[in-house]
Amino acid sequence: VKPGMVPPPPGEESQTVILPPGWQSYLSPQGRRYYVNTTTNETTWERPSSFPGIPASPGSHRSSLPPAVNGYHASGTPAHPPETAHMSVRKSTGDSQNLGSSSPSKKQSKENTITINCVTFPHPDTMPEQQLLKPTEWSYCDYFWADKKDPQGNGTVAGFELLLQKQLKGKQMQKEMSEFIRERIKIEEDYAKNLAKLSQNSLASQEEGSLGEAWAQVKKSLADEAEVHLKFSAKLHSEVEKPLMNFRENFKKDMKKCDHHIADLRKQLASRYASVEKARKALTERQRDLEMKTQQLEIKLSNKTEEDIKKARRKSTQAGDDLMRCVDLYNQAQSKWFEEMVTTTLELERLEVERVEMIRQHLCQYTQLRHETDMFNQSTVEPVDQLLRKVDPAKDRELWVREHKTGSIRPVDMEI
């Protein structure tokens, strides 16, 4: 995509063209229209066709972006003080006038843009209204373009670094939740072990009658309950703890790859910016040299001076061409970084939603298992309840008396 293409009038395209399902159009900070597939997160400068195989904008070049597999970040070293590092604006993908040209339009460019840490933004005083990619949501892709002052130091942290840190923190929280469930399992296992041991205790084992039967059932219920808790702990391990621990096992490694990907793009952008500044300085020197030789010509006319002026003019023109080429390369690098940032921040957003939903589902599974355990525990004491309702002290006394009676003849008074 060549930066500097003339965009269609804002709003005109949306009124006359129906986009294919899943596609939405937006305007870049300089008013240039681009398209986003909300299903695949693909971004392109070319208007997508409603009919497969038929290009919608002949002559344009689609920049088809492969969906990012994980996440990433750019940790650029600040080249300028982050005066407006708090800005939550998308980067300017405008034309070559962003950074300069061979003509003396630098002053006008400086009024319209501001470069922070090698990234060019619209100037806050002249910034046009920007349409958010997801205006109804607090989306990652809209609020992490600028760098932020590091609260723990004098440097800055790139917006993407904050997103990457959140992803890694989420992975750590997931790991800690798994460890928490592991502790819960241990408690269940210890509890089941103690219940089973207590069920074998011989205390009050000589109780007789219907009450003795009820007491024996009480001890048996402990053994049954122990088995319930052992099964609960086993299901916690297989259905909650293990999935939490194993979800995205290679996540940190994948995040590191993505970090390097965006960091490389940011470094390339910084390199292109340095080339622009070098070319700008060279152009200034060539123009100054040309101006000095022109003044010398006014003082004294000579063939040598005229030749020097022609040579200086050629060098100045060449320096201007070099600057334009460097600016074009810079804008291409910035456009690539911009496109990758949109795609990958949307991917990070999707990954976070997926992580939260996964944890929610497994915690719901935990509560479900807990309810089932309570139900099974209740079933272990139901036989105890039934026997306790049958306890009959009078019948127990009768049975005991029949078995242990010594005689039913009562004593009488002694006669003289």
Side-chain angles (χ1 to χ4, degrees):
V1 180
K2 290 286 185 183
M5 293 177 60
V6 179
E12 176 181 311
E13 203 170 284
S14 62
Q15 296 174 3
T16 58
V17 178
I18 299 178
L19 296 175
W23 286 91
Q24 294 185 17
S25 65
Y26 302 93
L27 294 179
S28 72
Q30 260 62 38
R32 187 176 179 188
R33 188 171 297 280
Y34 62 98
Y35 303 87
V36 176
N37 188 314
T38 57
T39 302
T40 65
N41 291 338
E42 176 187 358
T43 60
T44 177
W45 296 114
E46 175 189 353
R47 175 170 57 81
S49 171
S50 300
F51 303 96
I54 302 178
S57 303
S60 299
H61 171 67
R62 171 174 291 190
S63 175
S64 181
L65 303 177
V69 178
N70 291 293
Y72 24 117
H73 149 71
S75 54
T77 303
H80 301 280
E83 299 91 346
T84 57
H86 62 280
M87 293 191 303
S88 60
V89 296
R90 292 193 300 274
K91 91 152 193 55
S92 166
T93 59
D95 56 28
S96 301
Q97 291 183 352
N98 280 351
L99 291 170
S101 66
S102 59
S103 62
S105 60
K106 181 178 177 181
K107 182 176 180 181
Q108 180 181 1
S109 175
K110 288 293 185 180
E111 292 176 353
N112 294 330
T113 63
I114 182 172
T115 301
I116 304 173
N117 293 347
C118 305
V119 179
T120 302
F121 297 96
H123 196 285
D125 297 337
T126 59
M127 180 173 61
E129 182 178 356
Q130 292 187 329
Q131 182 179 7
L132 298 177
L133 186 60
K134 291 187 175 182
T136 60
E137 303 177 27
W138 286 87
S139 176
Y140 290 170
C141 64
D142 285 319
Y143 296 98
F144 292 91
W145 292 103
D147 298 341
K148 186 176 183 179
K149 186 175 181 180
D150 187 354
Q152 299 179 350
N154 297 324
T156 59
V157 178
F160 193 83
E161 174 69 18
L162 297 176
L163 294 177
L164 185 68
Q165 290 174 0
K166 176 168 177 57
Q167 292 289 318
L168 296 177
K169 181 180 178 181
K171 175 63 176 177
Q172 179 63 26
M173 295 302 99
Q174 167 193 324
K175 178 183 177 183
E176 292 181 10
M177 288 180 187
S178 178
E179 293 172 352
F180 180 90
I181 298 298
R182 174 67 259 179
E183 291 298 315
R184 181 72 173 89
I185 291 172
K186 188 175 182 302
I187 291 173
E188 287 296 319
E189 291 173 342
D190 292 342
Y191 183 54
K193 181 179 178 180
N194 290 331
L195 284 177
K197 181 178 179 180
L198 184 59
S199 68
Q200 301 299 320
N201 193 289
S202 61
L203 292 174
S205 59
Q206 296 181 0
E207 179 62 52
E208 300 174 337
S210 58
L211 182 58
E213 294 178 5
W215 175 247
Q217 187 61 45
V218 167
K219 294 199 290 184
K220 183 179 183 302
S221 71
L222 296 184
D224 295 339
E225 186 178 354
E227 184 178 352
V228 169
H229 284 276
L230 278 177
K231 290 181 179 179
F232 176 49
S233 65
K235 287 187 176 182
L236 279 182
H237 172 69
S238 62
E239 299 180 21
V240 181
E241 180 209 1
K242 191 174 180 180
L244 284 175
M245 180 62 72
N246 295 338
F247 183 67
R248 296 177 183 165
E249 289 183 279
N250 299 322
F251 188 70
K252 288 186 178 180
K253 186 182 295 184
D254 294 337
M255 287 292 103
K256 191 172 182 180
K257 291 180 182 178
C258 296
D259 183 15
H260 290 165
H261 175 65
I262 292 296
D264 288 344
L265 291 176
R266 187 71 181 264
K267 288 176 182 177
Q268 183 181 21
L269 184 61
S271 175
R272 298 298 188 194
Y273 180 78
S275 298
V276 168
E277 291 301 295
K278 183 178 179 180
R280 195 194 306 281
K281 183 179 179 181
L283 175 61
T284 301
E285 292 175 354
R286 295 301 181 188
Q287 289 177 334
R288 187 183 299 114
D289 182 60
L290 176 61
E291 183 179 354
M292 182 181 66
K293 285 182 170 54
T294 302
Q295 291 175 353
Q296 291 176 352
L297 177 63
E298 294 174 355
I299 298 174
K300 183 179 180 181
L301 181 62
S302 68
N303 292 335
K304 185 177 184 302
T305 304
E306 289 180 356
E307 287 298 323
D308 289 344
I309 289 177
K310 290 180 181 179
K311 185 177 180 180
R313 186 174 289 114
R314 285 196 301 269
K315 289 183 178 180
S316 178
T317 301
Q318 180 62 45
D321 291 341
D322 289 344
L323 177 59
M324 291 184 67
R325 180 181 59 83
C326 290
V327 169
D328 186 56
L329 292 174
Y330 169 88
N331 284 334
Q332 290 180 33
Q334 186 166 247
S335 294
K336 178 64 175 175
W337 175 74
F338 171 73
E339 293 168 351
E340 290 295 312
M341 280 286 289
V342 171
T343 301
T344 53
T345 52
L346 288 174
E347 177 65 9
L348 289 182
E349 193 171 288
R350 184 193 68 80
L351 289 172
E352 177 64 7
V353 170
E354 184 180 74
R355 182 190 73 89
V356 171
E357 179 60 21
M358 181 278 299
I359 293 177
R360 187 194 69 82
Q361 290 179 359
H362 286 90
L363 292 182
C364 286
Q365 181 64 13
Y366 166 81
T367 59
Q368 177 64 27
L369 292 174
R370 187 70 178 83
H371 290 317
E372 291 178 0
T373 300
D374 290 342
M375 181 181 66
F376 292 141
N377 280 338
Q378 181 63 32
S379 68
T380 65
V381 297
E382 287 177 357
V384 178
D385 289 335
Q386 295 174 2
L387 289 176
L388 288 175
R389 284 193 291 268
K390 295 180 179 179
V391 170
D392 185 346
K395 187 174 182 179
D396 285 352
R397 185 175 64 249
E398 176 186 347
L399 293 175
W400 189 86
V401 169
R402 284 178 177 274
E403 182 178 353
H404 298 91
K405 62 182 179 178
T406 59
S408 59
I409 301 177
R410 297 184 300 276
V412 297
D413 292 341
M414 180 183 296
E415 295 180 358
I416 301 177

